[in-house]
Amino acid sequence: MQIAQNSVVAFHYTLTNDAGEVLDSSEGREPLTYLHGAGNIVPGLEKELEGHKAGEKIQATVVPEEGYGEKQSQLVQEVPRDAFQGVESVEPGMQFQAQTQGGPLMVTVTQVEGDTVVVDGNHPLAGQTLNFDVEIAEVRAASEEEVEHGHVHGEGDGHGEAAQQQ
């Protein structure tokens, strides 16, 4: 079966940046499983996987526009240190959930200078080209329930038989 709309796909991957540094990998773990066409993975990788079959290995290069987007300068802001009440020490690399007009947003502290903290609400991989080495482990048709819910169902997700029998 080929990967197409409403296929459940399981794949192993290694993600590297343009410098060849490994950013993420499924090595030593279960394959990543997703519902194709439901927007569960970055659009560029989903597009590259379309039409492939279990057992195939592919390399995919995903540009920022089809990955985590370009960096948006308006998501980098200076905030006063006292906005972090209850946090004893604010250090670069720390992540916080900020409440914005558009809803909650994860921000990463990038700089601390005196009473000013610089936070970045961009995804850590925004602006980067993503290089995927993929091995497709399984492709199957999604159930009606998976299509309706927009994600894959499996053990431990609250949708299995044990959850429904209670």
Side-chain angles (χ1 to χ4, degrees), residues 11-16 57-60 131-135:
F11 66 94
H12 284 286
Y13 67 94
T14 298
L15 168 61
T16 57
K57 293 180 180 183
I58 67 165
Q59 292 184 323
N131 302 293
F132 290 92
D133 283 320
V134 173
E135 181 175 357

Side-chain angles (χ1 to χ4, degrees), residues 84 87 89-91 94-98 105-109 117 119:
F84 297 87
V87 180
S89 177
V90 178
E91 305 287 334
M94 294 175 92
Q95 292 188 312
F96 296 92
Q97 185 169 333
L105 176 69
M106 284 301 295
V107 297
T108 303
V109 174
V117 178
V119 295

